[in-house]
Amino acid sequence: MTAEQRARNEETTEANLDAMKNLVRILHAREEQVKLGGGTKAIERHHSRGKMTARERIAGLLDEDSPFLEIGLFTAWEMYGEYGGAPSAGTVFGIGRIHGRDCVIVANDATVKAGAWFPITAKKNLRAQEIAMENRIPIIYLVDSAGVFLPMQDEIFPDKEHFGRIFRNNAVMSSMGIPQLSAIMGYCVAGGAYLPIMSDEAMIVENTGTVFLAGAHLVKAAIGEEVDNETLGGAKVHSEVSGVTDYRMPDDETALRTLRDLVSKLGRRGNAGFDRIDPVPPRRPAEDLHGLFPKDRSRPFDTNELLSCIIDDHEFVEYKADYGKSLICAYARIDGWAVGIVANQRSIVRSGSGEMQIGGVIYSDSADKATRFIMNCNQKRIPLVFLQDVSGFMIGSRAEHGGIIKDGAKLVNAVANSVVPKITFIIGNSYGAGNYAMCGKAYDPRFIFAWPSAQIAVMGGAQASKTLLEIRLSQMERDGRQISEEDQQELLRSIQERYETQTSPYYAAARLWIDGIIDPVHTRDVISHCIRVTDNNPDLPRFNPGVIQT
């Protein structure tokens, strides 16, 4: 490499570093903003009532210095603006360790609209239950909620993925033998009252915890009875009279200690047996990821360089290395865990026949290779890690004549029917059917995260904006309207701005299309944490890919 080439590479790395560090800086600032929930004044009011916040309660449950993998931090980001917003959808949840045992913990954040349930809140709680069911781990509910957010009741009440599905899941998890423990630490109203009482055991905190199907105001309006909330459904009533709750706690701290004690006595059910050895540090430090991922979304780069910051050193065996080069398939270890990696390769490569291929696109040979590799990982009970930076499948007459639809269908089939845990990271582009083939949300990854550099859409922004512009112009022409070149450019700009907003990882995170946005340097730790969680489920079904055309 010449001195000029080295200088150019250093300049590119520096530009990449600045771009990614800026994205990470924005990420951290937004995280801190969201973690305040309803804001400092709402937190002060909460404390004045003798109550801990949702995040304080979770911290009090976890083992000291153990990590908490938060899911859905950016849920409802920039949604429900007409109602003042709903940071994190008024619910904090994630996975942490209690007495060395992985548990899902769900805590209502009563500083946000008194913990009321928005439509996306129901979806977030269903995601928490899904994680508990898929991985066979206990779930703990810290209840402090005023119930359904009534102005939006029509979007949360009757459908399959609405509020009622949560109580259905309570019953299903009970039949599966998944422990469910609840602490009523504030209001627990109406249909929401069923959640803690359908748990295996429920406790209630004196003076702050209340549970009833209808509060005092509704009782008076409905049947004319005058009664206060404490008499109607406070701790004394449900511990001494109704027998609805199992334990009465004097305060939040005692409730959390009791929950920890109950978890410590849970029996063990074995694990999946995913292979793990003593970890070896990666060849390169994780911080290098900031400078390796290109600022320019169309610029080629070598995905192997990214992997060298994530996988254990000397633990990389590439499958069919000289075939289907636009996808990397490899056996590796991450923090000691054996994994199968399927990653898009954005560099310009040559196929076995010498034909030039553009990276980030899935070709027939790449799809064929990845299909066989995924089947092998299922045969060997090796978890799969997908790194998405994909523009989609190759198009054009040559690709169509070569059977790209058939080969793409084989890959989608293998991904859909895979039974080993799948963990997906969207690091760059995630467009069209490429999102599906690389195990997007629709293909049931156990966990799915994005880097702040991710974009998720049916196609790239430039192509989509021009297509949308042409459609708009055609409509205007049919209506007999003319538009100047200047107005066309202004219309294109507005279309591009809207489309860019919708492709943002924050837009996806707000709607739970992804579980979270992470700093790239945490990728290795998140993968290890996720595999450890998935290893709790010993009951992997037999892999059956169904019909795959050859």
Side-chain angles (χ1 to χ4, degrees):
M1 183 183 295
T2 67
E4 183 181 348
Q5 288 173 322
R6 279 196 298 271
R8 192 159 53 244
N9 286 346
E10 288 174 4
E11 184 178 342
T12 300
T13 300
E14 194 65 30
N16 294 343
L17 185 65
D18 288 345
M20 183 62 82
K21 280 196 169 182
N22 187 53
L23 290 174
V24 170
R25 178 188 60 78
I26 293 170
L27 171 64
H28 291 329
R30 290 176 172 178
E31 286 175 340
E32 293 307 309
Q33 175 188 341
V34 172
K35 286 178 180 179
L36 287 174
T40 53
K41 289 184 178 179
I43 291 172
E44 289 170 3
R45 286 196 301 271
H46 198 75
H47 285 159
S48 71
R49 296 165 184 156
K51 297 164 69 174
M52 301 168 70
T53 66
R55 294 185 180 277
E56 290 167 345
R57 288 166 176 168
I58 290 173
L61 268 181
L62 297 175
D63 294 345
E64 189 174 355
D65 297 325
S66 67
F68 179 65
L69 182 64
E70 183 164 356
I71 305 294
L73 173 64
F74 287 105
T75 309
W77 174 261
E78 295 187 338
M79 293 173 66
Y80 309 126
E82 66 272 37
Y83 301 112
S88 268
T91 301
V92 182
F93 105 78
I95 306 163
R97 286 205 148 179
I98 301 174
H99 284 288
R101 183 160 191 152
D102 290 308
C103 297
V104 174
I105 305 169
V106 186
N108 299 120
D109 185 354
T111 70
V112 179
K113 305 291 190 297
W117 289 58
F118 287 76
I120 199 69
T121 312
K123 186 174 181 180
K124 186 171 183 177
N125 278 263
L126 289 171
R127 176 65 179 137
Q129 292 179 321
E130 179 182 48
I131 289 173
M133 286 189 281
E134 285 185 331
N135 301 292
R136 303 296 194 274
I137 57 178
I139 184 167
I140 297 171
Y141 308 100
L142 306 180
V143 184
D144 192 348
S145 171
V148 167
F149 187 66
L150 285 178
M152 303 188 75
Q153 63 85 26
D154 62 316
E155 298 181 43
I156 191 173
F157 170 62
D159 210 346
K160 182 176 179 179
E161 291 190 347
H162 285 177
F163 198 50
R165 186 76 172 184
I166 292 163
F167 318 130
R168 174 264 186 195
N169 285 352
N170 286 138
V172 170
M173 282 192 284
S174 181
S175 71
M176 294 170 68
I178 296 171
Q180 300 176 81
L181 304 174
S182 291
I184 301 163
M185 310 176 92
Y187 281 119
C188 183
V189 183
Y194 288 108
L195 185 147
I197 309 311
M198 291 187 73
S199 300
D200 301 330
E201 294 181 286
M203 62 186 65
I204 188 168
V205 178
E206 291 179 334
N207 302 317
T208 59
T210 53
V211 54
F212 33 64
L213 294 180
H217 294 298
L218 182 55
V219 167
K220 183 176 180 180
I223 64 173
E225 180 185 358
E226 292 197 18
V227 62
D228 63 80
N229 283 335
E230 190 65 29
T231 304
L232 185 66
K236 181 178 177 67
V237 168
H238 287 309
S239 298
E240 297 181 9
V241 181
S242 72
V244 165
T245 55
D246 304 302
Y247 308 94
R248 180 165 53 172
M249 299 288 118
D251 49 42
D252 283 6
E253 291 84 355
T254 306
L256 297 174
R257 285 197 301 271
T258 305
L259 284 170
R260 284 184 53 82
D261 186 61
L262 293 173
V263 171
S264 74
K265 295 175 173 61
L266 295 175
R268 302 281 176 174
R269 298 178 181 270
N271 55 40
F274 301 134
D275 188 67
R276 191 183 195 189
I277 62 174
D278 291 336
V280 176
R283 178 166 55 85
R284 299 179 63 164
E287 289 72 21
D288 283 2
L289 288 167
H290 286 165
L292 288 172
F293 192 80
K295 173 185 177 182
D296 183 347
R297 310 193 72 81
S298 62
R299 185 181 179 86
F301 74 100
D302 189 356
T303 303
N304 286 293
E305 291 299 305
L306 299 182
L307 293 175
S308 68
C309 304
I310 298 170
I311 65 173
D312 292 13
D313 198 12
H314 307 305
E315 290 285 353
F316 186 78
V317 180
E318 188 168 358
Y319 177 78
K320 291 184 180 289
D322 299 320
Y323 180 73
K325 290 186 176 182
S326 70
L327 276 179
I328 296 172
C329 297
Y331 300 107
R333 289 190 184 273
I334 295 177
D335 197 32
W337 292 104
V339 297
I341 294 173
V342 182
N344 298 107
Q345 175 65 287
R346 206 198 290 180
S347 61
I348 297 175
V349 297
R350 291 188 180 276
S351 68
S353 62
E355 174 191 350
M356 187 70 75
Q357 296 186 350
I358 303 170
V361 177
I362 301 176
Y363 293 80
S364 283
D365 53 359
S366 303
D368 177 69
K369 175 174 77 171
T371 299
R372 296 185 63 178
F373 180 73
I374 290 168
M375 294 171 72
N376 286 346
C377 287
N378 276 272
Q379 180 78 2
K380 299 175 181 179
R381 295 174 72 94
I382 298 175
L384 285 158
V385 176
F386 291 83
L387 296 180
Q388 282 198 20
D389 183 23
V390 58
S391 302
F393 286 94
M394 189 58 189
I395 59 174
S397 60
R398 184 165 186 169
E400 299 291 1
H401 297 170
I404 186 65
I405 295 176
K406 178 181 67 176
D407 292 320
K410 289 192 295 186
L411 176 54
V412 169
N413 188 317
V415 173
N417 286 298
S418 178
V419 297
V420 295
K422 298 169 291 192
I423 303 164
T424 300
F425 292 83
I426 303 172
I427 65 174
N429 303 327
S430 179
Y431 298 152
N435 171 281
Y436 303 158
M438 293 295 292
C439 199
K441 179 69 171 180
Y443 286 78
D444 297 323
R446 292 283 185 95
F447 298 95
I448 179 169
F449 295 91
W451 288 3
S453 50
Q455 283 193 353
I456 306 165
V458 73
M459 65 176 71
Q463 305 97 304
S465 298
K466 290 177 182 177
T467 301
L468 290 169
L469 177 64
E470 289 175 5
I471 293 171
R472 289 284 297 276
L473 292 176
S474 296
Q475 291 171 338
M476 295 172 76
E477 286 178 8
R478 285 197 300 271
D479 295 339
R481 290 182 290 167
Q482 298 295 322
I483 183 170
S484 68
E485 182 65 30
E486 183 178 327
D487 288 341
Q488 284 187 35
Q489 292 304 313
E490 178 60 25
L491 181 57
L492 177 61
R493 185 192 62 77
S494 66
I495 290 172
Q496 287 175 333
E497 286 182 357
R498 187 174 71 251
Y499 198 83
E500 286 173 7
T501 297
Q502 293 175 352
T503 62
S504 161
Y506 295 95
Y507 192 89
R511 291 152 181 80
L512 284 170
W513 301 344
I514 55 176
D515 289 323
I517 306 169
I518 66 166
D519 184 338
V521 302
H522 298 147
T523 304
R524 175 180 164 90
D525 292 337
V526 171
I527 293 172
S528 179
H529 196 148
C530 289
I531 296 177
R532 189 189 76 198
V533 171
T534 66
D535 195 44
N536 284 283
N537 182 1
D539 302 320
L540 285 185
R542 183 176 178 274
F543 176 61
N544 181 2
V547 176
I548 294 184
Q549 293 185 357
T550 57

Short mmCIF file of all heavy atoms in Angstrom, two decimals, residues 363 389-390:
data_model
loop_
_atom_site.label_atom_id
_atom_site.label_comp_id
_atom_site.label_asym_id
_atom_site.label_seq_id
_atom_site.Cartn_x
_atom_site.Cartn_y
_atom_site.Cartn_z
N TYR A 363 -27.37 -12.84 -4.10
CA TYR A 363 -27.43 -13.53 -5.38
C TYR A 363 -27.86 -14.98 -5.18
O TYR A 363 -27.94 -15.47 -4.04
CB TYR A 363 -26.04 -13.50 -6.05
CG TYR A 363 -25.59 -12.12 -6.47
CD1 TYR A 363 -25.06 -11.23 -5.54
CD2 TYR A 363 -25.70 -11.71 -7.79
CE1 TYR A 363 -24.64 -9.96 -5.91
CE2 TYR A 363 -25.27 -10.43 -8.18
CZ TYR A 363 -24.75 -9.57 -7.23
OH TYR A 363 -24.34 -8.32 -7.60
N ASP A 389 -26.95 -6.00 6.41
CA ASP A 389 -26.61 -4.80 5.67
C ASP A 389 -26.95 -5.11 4.22
O ASP A 389 -26.07 -5.29 3.38
CB ASP A 389 -25.13 -4.44 5.85
CG ASP A 389 -24.77 -3.14 5.15
OD1 ASP A 389 -25.68 -2.32 4.92
OD2 ASP A 389 -23.59 -2.95 4.80
N VAL A 390 -28.23 -5.17 3.91
CA VAL A 390 -28.70 -5.82 2.69
C VAL A 390 -29.60 -4.88 1.88
O VAL A 390 -30.50 -4.24 2.42
CB VAL A 390 -29.43 -7.14 3.03
CG1 VAL A 390 -30.61 -6.91 3.97
CG2 VAL A 390 -29.86 -7.87 1.78
#
